[in-house]
Amino acid sequence: MHHLIDPASGRPADTGLLAVTVHGPDPAWAEVLSKALFLAGRAGIGEEARQSGLAAWWVEEDGSMHASPGGRQLTTWTRLEGRVA
């Protein structure tokens, strides 16, 4: 259970996502947008982030990690001791 409520059911949203992060110039709006993307769910988050031009990252319930095109542009992966960190 979590604190995000599905407006249609009034119950905690079951979206297939564990976490969503959005980058933006205003942290308050980034927080609001991350919640909206979370409620879009696993099926809609990628397209919603792309159409909105958001830099976003999310983790699905199976542990897979994803990023919008804007998020990928801001992501730098560094390999440390044989691991990606």
Side-chain angles (χ1 to χ4, degrees):
M1 294 276 195
H2 54 76
H3 68 286
L4 293 178
I5 304 301
D6 179 347
S9 69
R11 300 194 37 80
D14 182 17
T15 65
L17 300 172
L18 294 177
V20 176
T21 300
V22 171
H23 174 271
D26 181 338
W29 275 110
E31 180 70 13
V32 169
L33 294 167
S34 70
K35 302 306 186 242
L37 288 179
F38 189 95
L39 291 172
R42 183 178 58 176
I45 189 170
E47 186 61 25
E48 186 76 24
R50 277 188 289 282
Q51 286 183 356
S52 301
L54 296 173
W57 301 263
W58 61 95
V59 180
E60 295 185 7
E61 286 180 341
D62 66 4
S64 60
M65 297 173 58
H66 306 273
S68 68
R72 285 191 295 276
Q73 288 180 339
L74 295 175
T75 302
T76 301
W77 297 99
T78 304
R79 184 169 290 280
L80 300 173
E81 299 177 25
R83 300 178 307 170
V84 174

